[in-house]
Amino acid sequence: MKLRPRLALSALALTGLALALGSSTAQAQPLAAATGAAATCVTNDDATNAARAAKGGNRTDPHQFTDAQTKAMEAAFAKAAKAKGLSQDSQGRLVTKDGRLAKRTVATSIPVYWHVITNGTAGKLTTTQINSQLSVLNNAYASAGFSFTLAGTETTTNSDWFSIAMPQNGSEPSDAKAMKTALHKGSTNVLNMYSTTFSDGTLGYAQFPGGNLTLDGVVLDYRTLPGGSLSPYNQGDTGTHEVGHWMGLYHTFQGGCAAPGDYVSDTPAEASPAFGCPTGRDTCTATGLDPIKNFMDYTDDSCMNTFSAGQITRMQNQWATYRG
Protein backbone atom coordinates (compact mmCIF):
# COMPACT_ATOMS: atom_id res chain seq x y z
CA MET A 1 0.00 0.00 0.00
CA LYS A 2 1.28 3.48 -0.74
CA LEU A 3 0.59 6.73 1.09
CA ARG A 4 1.42 10.26 0.10
CA PRO A 5 4.04 10.82 1.36
CA ARG A 6 4.24 7.07 1.94
CA LEU A 7 3.30 7.57 5.58
CA ALA A 8 1.79 4.17 6.12
CA LEU A 9 2.23 1.78 3.24
CA SER A 10 0.45 -0.83 5.28
CA ALA A 11 -1.13 -4.13 4.41
CA LEU A 12 -4.74 -5.13 4.19
CA ALA A 13 -5.48 -8.35 6.07
CA LEU A 14 -7.69 -10.41 3.81
CA THR A 15 -9.13 -13.34 5.71
CA GLY A 16 -9.06 -16.53 3.74
CA LEU A 17 -6.15 -15.49 1.52
CA ALA A 18 -6.11 -17.84 -1.46
CA LEU A 19 -2.82 -19.45 -2.37
CA ALA A 20 -2.26 -21.00 -5.77
CA LEU A 21 -0.24 -24.12 -5.05
CA GLY A 22 -0.22 -25.67 -8.50
CA SER A 23 0.01 -24.27 -11.99
CA SER A 24 -1.00 -20.75 -12.83
CA THR A 25 -4.43 -22.01 -13.83
CA ALA A 26 -4.99 -24.17 -10.76
CA GLN A 27 -7.78 -23.45 -8.34
CA ALA A 28 -6.55 -21.42 -5.39
CA GLN A 29 -6.48 -23.03 -1.96
CA PRO A 30 -7.73 -21.06 1.09
CA LEU A 31 -5.43 -20.12 3.93
CA ALA A 32 -7.13 -20.34 7.31
CA ALA A 33 -8.70 -17.02 8.24
CA ALA A 34 -7.27 -17.28 11.73
CA THR A 35 -3.77 -16.56 10.40
CA GLY A 36 -4.73 -13.01 9.51
CA ALA A 37 -2.55 -13.34 6.41
CA ALA A 38 -2.26 -10.17 4.39
CA ALA A 39 -2.74 -9.78 0.67
CA THR A 40 -3.00 -6.13 -0.26
CA CYS A 41 -0.92 -2.98 0.15
CA VAL A 42 -2.57 0.45 -0.02
CA THR A 43 -1.33 4.07 0.08
CA ASN A 44 -2.86 7.35 1.30
CA ASP A 45 -1.82 10.98 1.27
CA ASP A 46 -0.38 13.09 4.06
CA ALA A 47 -3.43 15.35 4.30
CA THR A 48 -5.66 12.35 4.90
CA ASN A 49 -3.34 11.01 7.57
CA ALA A 50 -3.03 14.42 9.24
CA ALA A 51 -6.81 14.67 9.38
CA ARG A 52 -7.02 11.25 10.96
CA ALA A 53 -4.38 12.17 13.50
CA ALA A 54 -6.20 15.40 14.37
CA LYS A 55 -9.30 13.37 15.09
CA GLY A 56 -7.32 10.99 17.26
CA GLY A 57 -7.29 8.34 14.57
CA ASN A 58 -4.49 6.00 13.59
CA ARG A 59 -2.13 7.42 10.94
CA THR A 60 -1.52 3.94 9.61
CA ASP A 61 -3.87 1.41 8.11
CA PRO A 62 -5.22 -0.80 10.92
CA HIS A 63 -4.28 -3.87 8.92
CA GLN A 64 -0.55 -3.25 8.66
CA PHE A 65 1.38 -6.53 8.70
CA THR A 66 1.98 -7.99 12.13
CA ASP A 67 4.71 -10.50 12.91
CA ALA A 68 2.06 -13.22 13.00
CA GLN A 69 0.80 -12.24 9.57
CA THR A 70 4.24 -12.24 7.95
CA LYS A 71 5.06 -15.58 9.55
CA ALA A 72 1.83 -17.00 8.17
CA MET A 73 2.61 -15.61 4.71
CA GLU A 74 6.14 -17.02 4.77
CA ALA A 75 4.87 -20.42 5.89
CA ALA A 76 2.34 -20.38 3.06
CA PHE A 77 5.10 -19.43 0.61
CA ALA A 78 7.29 -22.33 1.77
CA LYS A 79 4.34 -24.71 1.49
CA ALA A 80 3.49 -23.49 -2.00
CA ALA A 81 7.12 -23.89 -3.13
CA LYS A 82 7.31 -27.38 -1.63
CA ALA A 83 4.13 -28.35 -3.46
CA LYS A 84 5.99 -27.52 -6.68
CA GLY A 85 8.98 -29.60 -5.60
CA LEU A 86 11.12 -26.53 -4.86
CA SER A 87 13.40 -25.69 -1.96
CA GLN A 88 15.99 -23.01 -1.20
CA ASP A 89 19.70 -23.60 -1.70
CA SER A 90 22.52 -22.06 0.37
CA GLN A 91 22.23 -18.81 -1.60
CA GLY A 92 18.50 -18.54 -1.00
CA ARG A 93 17.58 -19.49 -4.56
CA LEU A 94 14.81 -21.94 -5.34
CA VAL A 95 16.00 -25.24 -6.78
CA THR A 96 14.35 -28.43 -7.94
CA LYS A 97 14.81 -31.78 -6.20
CA ASP A 98 17.72 -32.61 -8.51
CA GLY A 99 19.47 -29.34 -7.67
CA ARG A 100 18.64 -27.38 -10.79
CA LEU A 101 17.60 -23.75 -10.52
CA ALA A 102 13.87 -23.32 -10.70
CA LYS A 103 12.60 -21.76 -13.90
CA ARG A 104 12.69 -18.19 -12.75
CA THR A 105 13.15 -14.95 -14.57
CA VAL A 106 15.69 -15.01 -17.35
CA ALA A 107 14.22 -12.51 -19.83
CA THR A 108 10.73 -12.95 -18.40
CA SER A 109 8.32 -10.67 -20.23
CA ILE A 110 5.17 -9.86 -18.28
CA PRO A 111 2.06 -8.99 -20.31
CA VAL A 112 0.31 -5.88 -18.98
CA TYR A 113 -3.36 -5.10 -19.46
CA TRP A 114 -4.06 -1.48 -18.65
CA HIS A 115 -7.57 -0.57 -17.53
CA VAL A 116 -8.14 3.20 -17.78
CA ILE A 117 -11.04 4.34 -15.59
CA THR A 118 -12.56 7.77 -16.19
CA ASN A 119 -15.60 9.71 -15.06
CA GLY A 120 -16.14 10.88 -18.61
CA THR A 121 -13.85 13.87 -18.21
CA ALA A 122 -10.90 13.16 -15.89
CA GLY A 123 -8.67 10.11 -15.84
CA LYS A 124 -8.09 9.69 -19.54
CA LEU A 125 -4.63 8.46 -20.53
CA THR A 126 -2.82 8.22 -23.84
CA THR A 127 -0.83 5.21 -24.98
CA THR A 128 2.26 7.41 -24.70
CA GLN A 129 1.57 8.04 -21.00
CA ILE A 130 1.04 4.36 -20.33
CA ASN A 131 4.20 3.43 -22.22
CA SER A 132 6.11 6.00 -20.16
CA GLN A 133 5.00 4.20 -17.00
CA LEU A 134 6.02 0.84 -18.46
CA SER A 135 9.43 2.31 -19.30
CA VAL A 136 9.84 3.26 -15.64
CA LEU A 137 8.98 -0.32 -14.65
CA ASN A 138 11.32 -1.79 -17.26
CA ASN A 139 14.21 0.33 -16.02
CA ALA A 140 13.53 -0.57 -12.39
CA TYR A 141 13.10 -4.32 -12.89
CA ALA A 142 15.70 -4.97 -15.61
CA SER A 143 18.29 -6.11 -13.06
CA ALA A 144 15.80 -8.70 -11.76
CA GLY A 145 15.22 -10.15 -15.23
CA PHE A 146 11.69 -8.83 -15.66
CA SER A 147 10.27 -6.72 -18.45
CA PHE A 148 6.77 -5.40 -19.04
CA THR A 149 5.00 -5.37 -22.40
CA LEU A 150 1.66 -3.73 -23.07
CA ALA A 151 -0.77 -6.46 -24.09
CA GLY A 152 -3.81 -4.23 -24.34
CA THR A 153 -5.63 -1.18 -23.04
CA GLU A 154 -9.28 -0.41 -22.49
CA THR A 155 -11.04 2.71 -21.25
CA THR A 156 -14.11 2.46 -19.05
CA THR A 157 -16.29 5.39 -18.06
CA ASN A 158 -17.74 4.71 -14.62
CA SER A 159 -18.02 7.37 -11.94
CA ASP A 160 -18.34 4.76 -9.17
CA TRP A 161 -15.06 3.15 -10.17
CA PHE A 162 -13.30 6.47 -10.73
CA SER A 163 -13.40 7.39 -7.04
CA ILE A 164 -12.93 4.27 -4.94
CA ALA A 165 -12.02 3.83 -1.29
CA MET A 166 -8.97 2.29 0.30
CA PRO A 167 -9.45 -1.38 1.30
CA GLN A 168 -10.65 -1.67 4.89
CA ASN A 169 -11.95 -4.20 7.37
CA GLY A 170 -10.50 -7.28 5.74
CA SER A 171 -11.59 -6.80 2.14
CA GLU A 172 -11.57 -4.48 -0.82
CA PRO A 173 -14.54 -2.10 -1.14
CA SER A 174 -17.44 -3.22 -3.31
CA ASP A 175 -16.66 -0.73 -6.09
CA ALA A 176 -13.10 -2.04 -6.50
CA LYS A 177 -14.32 -5.63 -6.44
CA ALA A 178 -16.91 -4.87 -9.09
CA MET A 179 -14.30 -3.12 -11.24
CA LYS A 180 -11.84 -5.98 -11.09
CA THR A 181 -14.47 -8.68 -11.53
CA ALA A 182 -15.67 -6.99 -14.70
CA LEU A 183 -12.30 -6.09 -16.20
CA HIS A 184 -9.56 -8.51 -15.02
CA LYS A 185 -7.78 -10.42 -17.78
CA GLY A 186 -5.39 -13.35 -17.89
CA SER A 187 -3.79 -15.62 -15.32
CA THR A 188 -1.27 -15.17 -12.50
CA ASN A 189 1.57 -14.24 -14.87
CA VAL A 190 -0.37 -11.26 -16.26
CA LEU A 191 -0.20 -7.83 -14.63
CA ASN A 192 -3.52 -5.99 -14.57
CA MET A 193 -3.06 -2.25 -13.97
CA TYR A 194 -6.07 -0.10 -13.08
CA SER A 195 -5.70 3.69 -13.21
CA THR A 196 -8.31 5.70 -11.33
CA THR A 197 -8.56 8.01 -8.30
CA PHE A 198 -9.47 7.40 -4.69
CA SER A 199 -11.97 9.01 -2.37
CA ASP A 200 -9.59 8.99 0.62
CA GLY A 201 -6.21 10.08 -0.73
CA THR A 202 -4.93 6.65 -1.65
CA LEU A 203 -2.25 6.62 -4.34
CA GLY A 204 -2.23 2.93 -5.08
CA TYR A 205 -2.47 -0.60 -3.79
CA ALA A 206 -1.50 -4.09 -4.90
CA GLN A 207 -2.38 -7.65 -4.10
CA PHE A 208 0.49 -9.88 -3.02
CA PRO A 209 1.17 -13.15 -4.89
CA GLY A 210 -1.10 -16.08 -4.12
CA GLY A 211 -4.33 -14.17 -3.68
CA ASN A 212 -7.68 -14.27 -5.43
CA LEU A 213 -6.97 -14.25 -9.18
CA THR A 214 -9.91 -12.01 -10.06
CA LEU A 215 -8.71 -9.37 -7.57
CA ASP A 216 -5.06 -9.65 -8.60
CA GLY A 217 -3.20 -6.62 -9.90
CA VAL A 218 -2.25 -3.03 -9.10
CA VAL A 219 -4.54 -0.02 -8.74
CA LEU A 220 -2.97 3.44 -9.19
CA ASP A 221 -4.02 7.06 -9.07
CA TYR A 222 -3.53 8.05 -12.71
CA ARG A 223 -1.82 11.28 -11.61
CA THR A 224 1.19 9.30 -10.30
CA LEU A 225 2.25 8.33 -13.82
CA PRO A 226 5.31 10.15 -15.22
CA GLY A 227 4.43 13.80 -15.73
CA GLY A 228 1.32 13.60 -13.56
CA SER A 229 0.18 16.26 -11.14
CA LEU A 230 0.92 14.54 -7.80
CA SER A 231 4.45 15.84 -7.20
CA PRO A 232 6.75 14.55 -5.72
CA TYR A 233 5.09 11.24 -6.59
CA ASN A 234 4.69 11.80 -10.31
CA GLN A 235 7.69 10.03 -11.82
CA GLY A 236 6.10 6.59 -11.98
CA ASP A 237 7.55 5.01 -8.85
CA THR A 238 4.20 4.55 -7.15
CA GLY A 239 3.83 1.95 -9.88
CA THR A 240 7.31 0.58 -9.21
CA HIS A 241 6.59 0.29 -5.49
CA GLU A 242 3.21 -1.38 -5.91
CA VAL A 243 4.50 -3.83 -8.51
CA GLY A 244 7.16 -4.71 -5.93
CA HIS A 245 4.37 -5.83 -3.61
CA TRP A 246 2.72 -7.67 -6.52
CA MET A 247 6.08 -9.48 -6.85
CA GLY A 248 6.09 -10.39 -3.14
CA LEU A 249 8.25 -7.72 -1.51
CA TYR A 250 7.51 -6.23 1.90
CA HIS A 251 8.41 -2.67 2.86
CA THR A 252 12.00 -2.07 3.91
CA PHE A 253 10.68 -0.98 7.33
CA GLN A 254 8.57 -4.11 7.86
CA GLY A 255 9.11 -5.27 11.44
CA GLY A 256 11.14 -2.20 12.39
CA CYS A 257 14.59 -2.97 13.81
CA ALA A 258 13.69 -6.53 14.81
CA ALA A 259 14.64 -9.56 12.72
CA PRO A 260 13.54 -10.92 10.29
CA GLY A 261 12.21 -7.54 9.13
CA ASP A 262 11.38 -7.68 5.42
CA TYR A 263 12.78 -11.23 5.07
CA VAL A 264 15.61 -9.92 2.90
CA SER A 265 19.04 -10.09 4.52
CA ASP A 266 20.77 -7.30 2.60
CA THR A 267 18.30 -4.47 3.23
CA PRO A 268 19.33 -2.72 6.46
CA ALA A 269 16.66 -2.69 9.15
CA GLU A 270 14.65 0.51 9.38
CA ALA A 271 12.60 1.53 12.41
CA SER A 272 10.03 3.52 10.43
CA PRO A 273 9.34 4.70 6.89
CA ALA A 274 11.50 7.49 5.47
CA PHE A 275 10.06 10.55 3.71
CA GLY A 276 11.63 13.01 1.29
CA CYS A 277 15.23 11.90 0.78
CA PRO A 278 16.94 12.04 4.21
CA THR A 279 20.55 11.18 3.36
CA GLY A 280 22.38 9.57 6.27
CA ARG A 281 19.23 8.51 8.14
CA ASP A 282 20.01 5.66 10.54
CA THR A 283 17.16 4.46 12.76
CA CYS A 284 18.48 1.01 13.76
CA THR A 285 21.83 0.18 15.37
CA ALA A 286 24.50 -2.04 13.79
CA THR A 287 22.68 -2.66 10.51
CA GLY A 288 23.85 0.14 8.24
CA LEU A 289 22.15 3.32 7.11
CA ASP A 290 18.45 3.21 6.28
CA PRO A 291 17.77 2.08 2.69
CA ILE A 292 16.14 5.37 1.70
CA LYS A 293 16.83 4.87 -2.01
CA ASN A 294 15.10 1.50 -2.09
CA PHE A 295 11.89 1.31 -4.09
CA MET A 296 10.14 -0.31 -1.12
CA ASP A 297 10.59 2.64 1.26
CA TYR A 298 8.38 5.78 1.35
CA THR A 299 10.78 8.38 -0.04
CA ASP A 300 10.09 10.71 -2.96
CA ASP A 301 10.14 9.25 -6.46
CA SER A 302 13.31 11.18 -7.23
CA CYS A 303 15.05 9.49 -4.30
CA MET A 304 14.16 5.90 -5.17
CA ASN A 305 16.42 4.00 -7.56
CA THR A 306 17.24 0.49 -6.38
CA PHE A 307 16.30 -3.04 -5.44
CA SER A 308 18.84 -5.05 -3.45
CA ALA A 309 20.27 -8.36 -4.64
CA GLY A 310 18.28 -10.11 -1.91
CA GLN A 311 15.06 -8.46 -3.05
CA ILE A 312 15.75 -9.61 -6.59
CA THR A 313 16.21 -13.20 -5.40
CA ARG A 314 13.00 -12.97 -3.39
CA MET A 315 11.03 -11.64 -6.37
CA GLN A 316 12.36 -14.42 -8.56
CA ASN A 317 11.49 -17.03 -5.91
CA GLN A 318 7.98 -15.65 -5.50
CA TRP A 319 7.54 -15.61 -9.26
CA ALA A 320 8.63 -19.23 -9.64
CA THR A 321 6.29 -20.27 -6.82
CA TYR A 322 3.17 -18.24 -7.54
CA ARG A 323 3.27 -16.66 -11.00
CA GLY A 324 5.71 -18.46 -13.28
Side-chain angles (χ1 to χ4, degrees):
M1 175 165 78
K2 188 176 174 185
L3 299 153
R4 197 168 72 234
R6 297 185 180 90
L7 280 178
L9 235 74
S10 57
L12 168 69
L14 291 181
T15 56
L17 168 63
L19 296 168
L21 301 182
S23 69
S24 60
T25 58
Q27 288 293 318
Q29 302 298 316
L31 181 66
T35 64
T40 306
C41 170
V42 185
T43 352
N44 291 337
D45 67 20
D46 52 333
T48 298
N49 288 318
R52 288 175 179 166
K55 294 178 181 179
N58 192 340
R59 290 175 67 86
T60 65
D61 188 297
H63 300 295
Q64 190 166 352
F65 287 136
T66 64
D67 289 343
Q69 287 171 336
T70 57
K71 287 178 181 177
M73 293 173 73
E74 294 307 300
F77 168 48
K79 182 178 180 180
K82 184 177 180 180
K84 285 191 170 183
L86 303 174
S87 60
Q88 288 187 327
D89 66 8
S90 60
Q91 299 180 54
R93 303 172 301 179
L94 285 182
V95 295
T96 61
K97 291 180 179 179
D98 58 3
R100 293 179 299 168
L101 285 176
K103 186 177 181 181
R104 305 197 304 166
T105 58
V106 177
T108 297
S109 180
I110 300 173
V112 178
Y113 283 100
W114 199 289
H115 310 281
V116 179
I117 310 300
T118 81
N119 63 0
T121 303
K124 296 177 182 179
L125 295 175
T126 66
T127 300
T128 298
Q129 289 173 297
I130 292 170
N131 283 333
S132 292
Q133 177 65 70
L134 295 185
S135 293
V136 171
L137 295 180
N138 282 327
N139 289 335
Y141 286 90
S143 61
F146 295 102
S147 63
F148 300 84
T149 303
L150 188 63
T153 63
E154 61 180 357
T155 299
T156 302
T157 300
N158 187 312
S159 58
D160 290 335
W161 299 352
F162 185 68
S163 181
I164 62 177
M166 179 176 73
Q168 289 286 336
N169 301 322
S171 65
E172 291 192 74
S174 59
D175 48 7
K177 284 185 177 180
M179 175 183 72
K180 291 182 176 181
T181 299
L183 301 179
H184 184 275
K185 297 181 183 296
S187 191
T188 54
N189 67 318
V190 173
L191 174 58
N192 282 259
M193 300 284 283
Y194 303 85
S195 56
T196 182
T197 63
F198 300 85
S199 61
D200 51 12
T202 300
L203 290 188
Y205 69 89
Q207 181 170 276
F208 279 69
N212 184 309
L213 177 59
T214 302
L215 301 181
D216 194 34
V218 170
V219 186
L220 295 176
D221 189 309
Y222 76 98
R223 296 167 296 179
T224 67
L225 271 65
S229 61
L230 292 182
S231 179
Y233 308 107
N234 60 346
Q235 296 181 24
D237 283 326
T238 291
T240 305
H241 180 104
E242 298 305 337
V243 171
H245 289 309
W246 187 78
M247 292 283 195
L249 295 182
Y250 298 117
H251 299 121
T252 52
F253 50 86
Q254 171 64 43
C257 296
D262 64 351
Y263 289 84
V264 176
S265 61
D266 63 354
T267 55
E270 189 175 23
S272 59
F275 314 115
C277 196
T279 301
R281 185 176 189 255
D282 188 7
T283 57
C284 296
T285 60
T287 59
L289 297 179
D290 291 357
I292 64 166
K293 295 188 177 182
N294 196 282
F295 288 118
M296 302 314 294
D297 205 340
Y298 273 13
T299 48
D300 294 351
D301 281 12
S302 60
C303 189
M304 295 179 161
N305 60 22
T306 189
F307 288 116
S308 72
Q311 286 175 315
I312 289 172
T313 295
R314 180 177 173 86
M315 286 191 284
Q316 292 175 341
N317 289 349
Q318 293 268 323
W319 183 271
T321 300
Y322 288 121
R323 299 195 182 281

